[in-house]
Amino acid sequence: MKLTRQETAELVKAIKGKVLITTHKNPDGDAVGSSLGWFHYLKKLGKEVKLIYKDPVPHFLNFLPGTEKVETREKIEEEFDWVIITDVSDPKRTGFEGIPAKKSLVIDHHITAEPFTDYYIVEPEISSTCELSYHIMKLIEPELIDTFVALPIYTGILTDTGSFNYSNTNSQTHKVAAELLEKGIDPYFVYSNLFERNRLNKFKLLELVLKTLDFAVKNKVAHITLFKEFLEEAQALPEEAEGFINYPRSIEGVEVAVFFKEFEEGTWKVSLRSKGKVNVAKVAKAFGGGGHKMAAGFEWKGELFHLKQLLFENLETELKGN
Ligand code: AMP
Ligand code: MN
Ligand code: MN
């Protein structure tokens, strides 16, 4: 059942019993921020809450209080009365085969979202699940939004908007950010924790990945590749490749940037970024993934050359349509 913000607020207020909060695998700032924000907020509302993810919190987000409470599991066995799933548009994205909960609620902002829970609120126009969560929290009990809640929420908005630079940013996003700063958030504390704690290994990995830079579709598509062996060579973690796609995207004349990541032999995680002419959510959906107009992704099993052939053909068609 589709809910409005007000209906979601009333539903969350009335939730009883054991509540599980989860998000997508390989969690990003919005995923961790929204689930953690709700965790702190629901505790303040007196609910019994647990945070379980498929994958661990990445290093760049481990400064957020409460991340040490996140449990990571391959499978969820215990029974919950409720599950709240944030920043997820497709049940596969949680990384769990099934979640044992009597009732379920999704809070999300992906255009490709198709309902898969008892209740859902999806606002594709909003910057982030964190911004949407903040509006709902304000409708429940605004005074419960303290720094423990405001810090992860601010962080998720910041990361999903590319530090308030992407086209999903609007005046409302800045108003929410301003309100969060008024709760005591220090922007440099967040910035320095997110972006000034890199390991040297990240730069070794970047060096290897940038060497693969190549072009397709008359130089309108720029792509980079991370082969599994690069991780070993650089002694780096997959999460340390976060943000690399901004390099091919930053090239003049490029309309779409693609990042092929081989995290397992023959399994590719593909990230797509557009400068506006191509709706990459549509492209990702054709490959079984999803996302937003300007940022999307999908997973693929098979040979890289075959994947490239299919993807570049698809992008060529999309670019011709403009
Ligand atoms: P990423 O390239 O991983 O940073 O993801 C960019 C956007 O695409 C995010 O909004 C993701 O939620 C979405 N996305 C990435 N991978 C997938 C996938 N396999 N299925 C659906 N959406 C995805
Ligand atoms: Mn996300
Ligand atoms: Mn998001």
Side-chain angles (χ1 to χ4, degrees), residues 23-32 86-88 93 108-110 129 160 292:
T23 185
H24 59 78
K25 55 185 178 179
N26 306 313
D28 54 20
D30 193 29
V32 173
T86 67
D87 203 39
V88 166
R93 290 276 291 154
D108 182 42
H109 72 128
H110 292 88
T129 302
D160 251 30
H292 312 274

Side-chain angles (χ1 to χ4, degrees), residues 214-240:
D214 204 351
F215 298 87
V217 197
K218 297 192 184 108
N219 296 337
K220 288 200 162 68
V221 175
H223 55 96
I224 51 174
T225 308
L226 189 164
F227 293 98
K228 201 170 162 269
E229 57 265 29
F230 289 179
L231 294 173
E232 285 146 42
E233 199 178 330
Q235 284 295 298
L237 296 166
E239 67 187 53
E240 290 181 293

Side-chain angles (χ1 to χ4, degrees), residues 3 32 164 258 320:
L3 302 177
V32 173
F164 304 100
V258 185
K320 266 189 199 141

